[in-house]
Amino acid sequence: MSKIERENLRVVAEKAILAGVQLPRAYIDLEDPFSELRALAQTAGAEIVGELLQKRQKPRGRTYIGRGKVQELADLVKLTRATLVIFDNDLSPAQVKALEEGTECKIIDRSELILDIFANRAATHAAKLQVEIAQLEYTYPRLRAMWDHLGQIVGGAPVGIGTRGPGEKQLEIDRRLVQRRRQQLRGELVTIQKRKAREVAQRNLGHYTVGAVGYTNAGKSSLFNRATAGGAFAHDKLFATLSTRTERWDLGGGNAAMLSDTVGFIRDLPHQLVASFRSTLEEIVHAQLILVVLDVVDPHAEMQLETVSRTLDELGATAQPRVLVLNKIDRLQDSRDLLVWMNRYPEAMPISALKGEGIDELAEIVLEHMLGGIREVRVTMPASETKTIDFLEKRTEVLERDYRNGQAAFRVRMGRRHVDQLLAQGTKMQINGLDPLEAVRREWSLPRPASVLGARAPATRKR
Ligand code: GDP
Ligand code: MG
């Protein structure tokens, strides 16, 4: 058997087969048991060339799947020329070894796939550190076991990374090195998280930021691709440091927000991976609006919504409004199912990211939040205030313009944020005949549009 490289477990651009055992009472989509693993593998950048599922009462010890299935998998690997098999279940190092021998193909399990995604998304130093910690805790012991096993195969000679040989003593030393490295990483993290908060604050000055969160497979990336033109801002310096994908969302009328796609929540996340998962979510804490994307056909949608809401609270993402996005309405068999959701969350926005339904309406909701409430008002200023006039023409909906005696009077639909922006550039306007600040007090004093996930005022909801 050819030696299989396990030191480099990158998934991107690999031809991959999805494999797994469906156990009774497993937490999966019965219609499409691989839907989550597929979304994860695609996120990691793999090309999926085959799928193989076995139903069993319990896993079969040495290879997890049955002997016949191992052969079937080996045949499928040959047929599809796959370079990687991704298991939906978590495997022990011994099982990985047995499967690699049986299929002559590299095998990774679900947690290794997730770690690979985190490693790829980890653009910030902080996120990279989190991933390294997770790798130390999860992957390292597995690699150790692999090296030991390889050592036995070639008769005890040192193999694998460097000249590290198997043996109790070496293991002891490694364990202490790992401990020390972990402490060092944790220390670095604290410093970096502080700097990052400053970076994000600066970015929010110039842009309105919207973050999409939800479980894997909910349709966040589909929504992201629908909403953003794609690519336009990918190389913007300001955003290059972010661990999440962020692009421009044109909301119409010259207004745009920056939408961030996150890795997403993952069911049954191994505890070693929780911290790195959270670091991928850190952006969200600083977003000015959060879209909670839910797959309404998922039988666990209700529980997922609870988990997402609780985690956001725990991360401290409590200052900004949240909008509940009910996705995949095209898959609902019975329209009454949607009514149940809408009754419970009347402010939720039903959409189909796949069909493009409801995206424009969602953009309007985002715009309403962004502008802080749109009001029809009369703005007056000297006709020489060209900067203000220019702004009104470009950024607000102008219903009427009237120039006379060196004065300009505009009837416009504008948001509170527009007023702030104009004030920041030193305008000489009046709104409804009043000083702008007084007008804001009168016109915009009503509460902002209610957020869907409840009137969770930050102070009262903090745990
Ligand atoms: P993410 O993991 O949240 O980013 O989810 P993806 O956007 O990758 O979508 C996961 C799967 O759900 C993909 O196969 C999508 O094609 C599918 N999907 C997303 N939105 C919809 C939708 O509105 N309707 C249907 N039927 N499928 C959708
Ligand atoms: Mg995605």
Side-chain angles (χ1 to χ4, degrees), residues 27-28 33 36-37 88 110 114 215 265-270:
Y27 167 41
I28 42 170
E36 193 206 42
L37 190 69
D88 202 9
R110 189 168 167 276
I114 293 165
Y215 269 76
F265 285 62
I266 299 166
R267 66 175 165 91
D268 304 332
L269 199 61

Side-chain angles (χ1 to χ4, degrees), residues 137-405:
E137 289 173 354
Y138 188 83
T139 315
Y140 182 80
R142 302 161 68 86
L143 290 178
R144 268 294 347 165
M146 295 310 293
W147 299 335
D148 290 352
H149 144 69
L150 286 170
Q152 284 155 21
I153 285 184
V154 294
V159 258
I161 289 173
T163 54
R164 246 188 276 240
E168 278 307 306
K169 197 160 171 222
Q170 186 63 44
L171 268 177
E172 229 3 86
I173 296 170
D174 285 355
R175 215 166 278 145
R176 259 181 288 135
L177 285 176
V178 166
Q179 250 344 83
R180 206 179 305 157
R181 178 74 183 134
R182 273 180 51 186
Q183 271 165 15
Q184 188 192 344
L185 291 174
R186 292 238 151 84
E188 279 182 50
L189 255 181
V190 175
T191 327
I192 287 156
Q193 277 163 348
K194 282 186 195 148
R195 194 184 63 216
K196 176 160 181 168
R198 282 199 302 274
E199 275 172 20
V200 175
Q202 196 187 358
R203 175 166 47 102
N204 280 350
L205 271 183
H207 302 270
Y208 187 73
T209 50
V210 181
V213 288
Y215 269 76
T216 300
N217 211 41
K220 296 177 303 299
S221 297
S222 304
L223 170 63
F224 180 87
N225 292 334
R226 276 265 167 209
T228 66
F233 268 63
H235 302 294
D236 189 318
K237 270 257 177 58
L238 208 50
F239 295 93
T241 55
L242 303 183
S243 52
T244 37
R245 272 205 305 167
T246 301
E247 287 191 25
R248 192 185 146 87
W249 185 359
D250 187 349
L251 302 171
N255 295 291
M258 298 305 296
L259 178 64
S260 294
D261 186 14
T262 59
V263 168
F265 285 62
I266 299 166
R267 66 175 165 91
D268 304 332
L269 199 61
H271 70 271
Q272 297 98 325
L273 273 52
V274 168
S276 25
F277 162 68
R278 289 191 164 212
S279 79
T280 68
L281 269 188
E282 246 158 50
E283 288 301 310
I284 289 299
V285 177
H286 308 286
Q288 286 155 291
L289 180 69
I290 293 177
L291 303 182
V292 177
V293 184
L294 210 59
D295 173 354
V296 281
V297 281
D298 192 310
H300 303 278
E302 191 68 42
M303 181 278 292
Q304 294 178 339
L305 176 56
E306 261 164 46
T307 308
V308 173
S309 306
R310 183 168 28 90
T311 308
L312 288 175
D313 289 349
E314 284 167 6
L315 286 169
T318 45
Q320 63 282 82
R322 299 174 193 170
V323 171
L324 180 59
V325 179
L326 303 171
N327 190 30
K328 305 201 186 179
I329 51 167
D330 59 289
R331 267 189 74 189
L332 283 177
Q333 310 285 345
D334 190 337
S335 60
R336 275 171 301 186
D337 292 343
L338 184 58
L339 280 180
V340 172
W341 277 102
M342 293 308 292
N343 271 332
R344 205 170 311 153
Y345 305 101
E347 314 261 348
M349 185 63 221
I351 69 160
S352 166
L354 192 73
K355 303 263 157 81
E357 282 166 45
I359 307 292
D360 290 346
E361 290 81 354
L362 182 61
E364 264 169 49
I365 292 176
V366 173
L367 188 63
E368 175 80 14
H369 278 283
M370 169 174 152
L371 298 180
I374 301 171
R375 308 277 186 271
E376 191 179 317
V377 291
R378 195 177 137 85
V379 182
T380 47
M381 70 228 110
S384 58
E385 273 286 295
T386 49
K387 235 174 128 183
T388 302
I389 292 171
D390 215 44
F391 182 98
L392 292 176
E393 290 286 0
K394 281 205 186 103
R395 310 292 288 276
T396 73
E397 189 184 336
V398 179
L399 306 169
E400 242 177 68
R401 352 176 140 62
D402 183 28
Y403 292 89
R404 67 182 69 178
N405 306 330

Side-chain angles (χ1 to χ4, degrees), residues 16-135:
I17 292 173
L18 307 182
V21 171
Q22 187 179 334
L23 302 166
R25 285 175 288 116
Y27 167 41
I28 42 170
D29 183 345
L30 288 177
E31 253 176 60
D32 183 7
F34 279 132
S35 58
E36 193 206 42
L37 190 69
R38 198 180 303 120
L40 285 170
Q42 279 161 353
T43 301
E47 179 199 348
I48 295 159
V49 294
E51 298 181 356
L52 184 105
L53 185 75
Q54 180 173 40
K55 285 191 184 144
R56 290 187 72 95
Q57 287 305 307
K58 56 181 187 26
R60 179 174 172 274
R62 216 175 82 84
T63 50
Y64 209 91
I65 51 177
R67 196 192 307 264
K69 279 286 165 188
V70 176
Q71 191 50 51
E72 213 179 299
L73 187 56
D75 293 343
L76 190 60
V77 166
K78 278 216 187 67
L79 185 75
T80 58
R81 302 188 176 195
T83 50
L84 179 71
V85 175
I86 306 173
F87 257 77
D88 202 9
N89 318 84
D90 281 336
L91 304 171
S92 72
Q95 285 165 338
V96 171
K97 173 198 140 203
L99 283 163
E100 289 189 342
E101 280 171 1
T103 59
E104 296 189 19
C105 185
K106 186 162 72 182
I107 308 273
I108 68 170
D109 69 6
R110 189 168 167 276
S111 293
E112 283 167 320
L113 173 65
I114 293 165
L115 263 176
D116 184 68
I117 294 171
F118 291 164
N120 272 323
R121 294 284 179 120
T124 64
H125 195 37
K128 278 185 185 138
L129 292 178
Q130 290 282 21
V131 172
E132 197 183 330
I133 291 172
Q135 277 167 340

